[in-house]
Amino acid sequence: MNKFLPTSTAGSLPKPSWLAQPETLWSAWRLADQDLAEGRQDALSLSLHEQDLAGIDIVSDGEQTRQHFVTTFIEHLNGVDFEKRETVRIRDRYDASVPSVVDAVSRSRPVFVDDARFLRQQTRKPIKWALPGPMTMVDTLYDNHYKSREKLAWEFAGILNEEARELVAAGVDIIQFDEPAFNVFFDEVNDWGIAALERASAGLTCETAVHICYGYGIEANTDWKESLGSEWRQYEAIFPRLQRSHLDMVSLECHNSRVPMDLIELIRGKKVMVGAIDVASRSVETAEEVARTLRNALRFVDADKLYPSTNCGMAPLPRDVARGKLKALSAGAALVRAELTGNQAA
Ligand code: ZN
């Protein structure tokens, strides 16, 4: 376990083919009932094993027990009707069929806490756990009750805080909120998005992170990226407010993106998870390519605050590609670690 430049993933890892259709986002389960419950746990153990084999320092559940990074959490809440679906434009980018908020939202039981406890029993490494962020949850629903994105986000933040506190009690070391919507709705992010995130992470005794990316490598995202021009400056609109928040870490998309690396200076003081693995490409990075991205980031962030990571989740990738990318991340981080410490054995 490296305490210097510790590696981690931004989120999901591919699921085994006996659990869900391979290379497919949000694929349906191939098991049911008790078989599904056991199958998900087995997949979680396998995912930990893969991370260990690749030398990943801060491990996760690989999101093996969830179908979707937002809706699986929402499915467990009261006030949302999954039968009443509406087609809405999400992330201001593509239309999706989403469930409706029909009543006050609340959480009557923990969602991921048993899974976190199960993972904790199997490893002594630090665990990072991803939850959807309040704004991204709001942006993945049709709201027929609060009729205010801000009000609904505030309610979700309270619910997320309850879940996060129980995850910490179960042994989670870092809670990461996924907020891809932060790259789209800048005014709302500054008005209430970051405030809602601070409510979701209030009083947590673990480290807190926010993951802000340009999405999985699906067509709608790839097309959107093509429209963003030669420099992606979205982070610039939200980093100043984020810098003043109490969040400890920020997880960013860097490798193969057109984000100018110097924008990291706007979150001075924060720990930065630098995405050094491109999840929209099936070609496996070389250690040197990973190292180059990390060295580039080191021009703007102190080495003790740099966390090599992936750009986003790897759920839709073939398993051997994901495995290769995890190893490349470790190898690239090891190169830079050795350069910084002068210890070739690192
Ligand atoms: Zn992401």
Side-chain angles (χ1 to χ4, degrees), residues 10-278:
S12 61
L13 292 172
K15 295 188 181 83
S17 59
W18 44 258
L19 182 61
Q21 172 87 25
E23 297 173 39
T24 312
L25 266 182
W26 317 315
S27 131
W29 301 113
R30 284 181 162 170
L31 302 173
D33 307 319
Q34 188 54 32
D35 290 343
L36 175 60
E38 275 187 33
R40 283 194 289 219
Q41 285 201 332
D42 292 345
L44 192 159
S45 299
L46 269 177
S47 163
L48 172 64
H49 180 63
E50 302 268 12
Q51 293 172 74
D52 280 338
L53 282 180
I56 298 300
D57 300 304
I58 300 169
V59 294
S60 78
D61 64 330
E63 301 186 16
Q64 299 294 297
T65 67
R66 49 191 119 175
Q67 210 179 345
H68 187 288
F69 81 103
V70 181
T71 49
T72 297
F73 185 73
I74 294 175
E75 268 170 38
H76 291 78
L77 307 181
N78 307 314
V80 184
D81 188 340
F82 274 73
E83 307 292 305
K84 256 182 117 173
R85 302 188 78 89
E86 298 282 345
T87 298
V88 299
R89 175 136 293 215
I90 72 170
R91 318 288 178 266
D92 203 22
R93 209 176 308 153
Y94 50 93
D95 293 329
S97 162
V98 297
S100 302
V101 178
V102 294
D103 204 345
V105 292
S106 64
R107 187 195 75 139
S108 49
R109 60 186 187 282
V111 180
F112 295 126
V113 178
D114 285 346
D115 295 335
R117 209 171 281 129
F118 183 71
L119 178 60
R120 180 74 287 166
Q121 286 163 0
Q122 299 175 60
T123 182
R124 302 175 74 164
K125 289 180 178 176
I127 293 174
K128 179 161 74 69
W129 203 274
L131 291 173
M135 176 178 277
T136 297
M137 288 172 75
V138 167
D139 196 54
T140 315
L141 283 171
Y142 176 74
D143 171 18
N144 200 23
H145 180 74
Y146 295 92
K147 306 203 195 286
S148 153
R149 280 162 69 91
E150 181 178 352
K151 268 187 204 153
L152 180 57
W154 201 249
E155 293 305 316
F156 281 146
I159 289 171
L160 287 164
N161 192 254
E162 291 169 20
E163 176 80 7
R165 282 169 191 263
E166 291 184 40
L167 287 169
V168 176
V172 168
D173 303 278
I174 303 170
I175 300 273
Q176 171 184 305
F177 295 95
D178 293 337
E179 284 284 27
F182 274 19
N183 256 345
V184 186
F185 308 105
F186 312 118
D187 291 343
E188 287 182 312
V189 172
N190 286 303
D191 283 352
W192 52 263
I194 294 168
L197 196 59
E198 290 197 281
R199 183 179 194 209
S201 54
L204 298 181
T205 52
C206 68
E207 289 202 290
T208 54
V210 57
H211 168 69
I212 311 165
C213 65
Y214 288 77
Y216 294 113
I218 59 173
E219 204 183 341
N221 292 335
T222 316
D223 292 348
W224 174 56
K225 289 177 180 187
E226 285 306 316
S227 77
L228 294 177
S230 60
E231 280 202 335
W232 301 352
R233 303 197 71 90
Q234 282 69 22
Y235 290 146
E236 192 170 33
I238 59 170
F239 275 6
R241 173 67 184 86
L242 201 54
Q243 200 276 332
R244 296 194 300 274
S245 75
H246 67 231
L247 275 287
D248 301 305
M249 314 174 87
V250 186
S251 160
L252 302 173
E253 175 165 340
C254 301
H255 188 67
N256 281 357
S257 80
R258 299 189 202 133
V259 174
M261 203 63 103
D262 61 355
L263 295 183
I264 293 178
E265 289 192 319
L266 296 172
I267 42 170
R268 201 171 301 115
K270 302 295 184 196
K271 295 174 176 175
V272 185
M273 282 184 253
V274 170
I277 294 290
D278 182 2

Side-chain angles (χ1 to χ4, degrees), residues 270-343:
K270 302 295 184 196
K271 295 174 176 175
V272 185
M273 282 184 253
V274 170
I277 294 290
D278 182 2
V279 302
S281 154
R282 292 190 174 196
S283 80
V284 173
E285 287 79 359
T286 63
E288 181 51 33
E289 283 172 323
V290 170
R292 208 177 301 144
T293 299
L294 300 177
R295 286 185 208 114
N296 192 9
L298 279 169
R299 296 188 295 138
F300 307 103
V301 61
D302 293 341
D304 64 349
K305 291 192 162 58
L306 179 72
Y307 289 65
S309 184
T310 60
N311 276 354
C312 190
M314 296 207 276
L317 291 174
R319 294 177 87 193
D320 57 340
V321 171
R323 241 174 243 139
K325 283 176 179 274
L326 289 182
K327 284 186 183 145
L329 179 65
S330 286
L335 279 180
V336 177
R337 219 176 272 130
E339 287 162 12
L340 292 174
T341 60
N343 172 11

